[in-house]
């Protein structure tokens, strides 16, 4: 997972409320065994309509999506986060998110920013023709017009996002402690690691319990 400290650039000024995961990525796209290419299916039903925002060249490749309340509701498919990431979206700003979607987004390096509706409305206006910046260092969303909106983010999630640590990365970061523990198991409880133990080792181990 790539570290995320700041996301800056064009933003899709969508603002749609109650966008469920089936809208983000329709069910027939879930047959894939890879994350690559899911961006093509993202918001398929929305893109089927002429003049939709996701095919508007003004917002092509935007790394930020500004949405409405209850974004990511519905089924718990992680493909929704995969599709957004494959589109190039690294931050979603909305008044609220489904808990499951928010967790899936975090695991895939996507920042979910919660702001009041009034601030969302302002960003929707600015994003029509100006960039938006999400900064995890200062925990703010800013615009060229000196708008500065503070947001909260779980400290653990913030650290993981900024350091680019997913679940595998977190495990590898504890490699020394894990290796030390496993070495101790092999020494004192060799039968747990598939090694044969002699009688003296078994007696010694029994005395410690």
């Amino acid at each position: 997972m790539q570290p995320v400290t700041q996301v800056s650039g064009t933003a899709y000024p969508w603002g749609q409320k109650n966008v469920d995961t089936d809208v983000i990525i329709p069910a027939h796209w879930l047959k894939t065994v890879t994350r690559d290419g899911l961006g093509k299916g993202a918001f398929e039903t929305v893109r089927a309509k002429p003049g939709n925002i996701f095919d508007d060249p003004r917002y092509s490749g935007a790394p930020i999506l500004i949405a409405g309340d209850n974004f990511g509701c519905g089924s718990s498919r992680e493909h929704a986060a995969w599709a957004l990431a494959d589109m190039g979206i690294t931050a979603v700003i909305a008044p609220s998110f489904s808990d499951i979607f928010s967790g899936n987004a975090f695991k895939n390096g996507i920042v979910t920013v919660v702001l009041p509706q009034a601030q969302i409305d302002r960003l929707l206006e600015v994003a029509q023709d100006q960039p938006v910046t999400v900064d995890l260092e200062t925990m703010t969303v800013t615009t060229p017009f000196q708008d500065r909106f503070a947001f909260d983010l779980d400290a653990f999630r913030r650290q993981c996002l900024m350091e680019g640590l997913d679940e595998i990365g977190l495990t590898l970061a504890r490699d020394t402690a894990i290796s030390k523990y496993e070495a101790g198991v092999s020494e004192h409880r060799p039968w747990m690691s598939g090694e044969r133990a002699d009688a003296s080792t078994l007696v010694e181990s029994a005395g410690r319990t």
Side-chain angles (χ1 to χ4, degrees):
M1 193 167 78
Q2 293 296 316
V4 181
T5 55
Q6 186 181 90
V7 186
S8 186
T10 306
Y12 293 105
W14 196 25
Q16 186 69 36
K17 296 182 179 181
N18 300 313
V19 175
D20 64 33
T21 51
D22 193 54
V23 171
I24 299 173
I25 186 71
H28 65 87
W29 283 87
L30 307 189
K31 299 175 183 178
T32 179
V33 295
T34 176
R35 306 181 188 191
D36 297 333
L38 281 175
K40 296 177 182 178
F43 304 109
E44 186 177 64
T45 55
V46 179
R47 284 174 156 162
K49 301 175 183 178
N52 72 86
I53 194 171
F54 295 107
D55 291 327
D56 189 326
R58 292 179 297 168
Y59 309 113
S60 178
I64 301 170
L65 171 63
I66 304 172
D69 195 43
N70 197 29
F71 186 84
C73 56
S75 64
S76 61
R77 64 191 69 166
E78 191 173 5
H79 294 68
W82 295 353
L84 292 178
D86 198 55
M87 279 182 69
I89 292 176
T90 312
V92 182
I93 308 172
S96 67
F97 295 89
S98 156
D99 287 342
I100 294 176
F101 170 81
S102 184
N104 286 335
F106 155 66
K107 292 177 182 179
N108 288 276
I110 299 174
V111 185
T112 52
V113 178
V114 175
L115 290 177
Q117 186 62 53
Q119 295 177 1
I120 294 292
D121 292 340
R122 171 59 178 165
L123 292 174
L124 289 171
E125 176 186 356
V126 173
Q128 296 291 327
D129 55 15
Q130 296 295 326
V132 173
T133 297
V134 176
D135 195 318
L136 269 67
E137 292 274 7
T138 60
M139 298 286 284
T140 58
V141 177
T142 57
T143 76
F145 299 109
Q146 306 306 310
D147 297 296
R148 187 179 180 87
F149 305 134
F151 65 90
D152 293 323
L153 191 63
D154 176 80
F156 173 73
R157 289 188 174 185
R158 176 173 178 259
Q159 178 186 357
C160 289
L161 287 166
M162 294 181 68
E163 295 181 12
L165 295 174
D166 56 12
E167 291 172 332
I168 294 175
L170 286 168
T171 301
L172 292 175
R174 294 169 173 79
D175 179 62
T176 300
I178 294 171
S179 296
K180 183 178 180 181
Y181 172 79
E182 290 181 341
V185 169
S186 295
E187 179 182 356
H188 303 298
R189 296 178 176 84
W191 62 90
M192 294 182 66
S193 58
E195 300 176 16
R196 297 184 63 182
D198 58 31
S200 61
T201 302
L202 291 173
V203 171
E204 182 182 352
S205 297
R208 293 195 188 99
T209 59

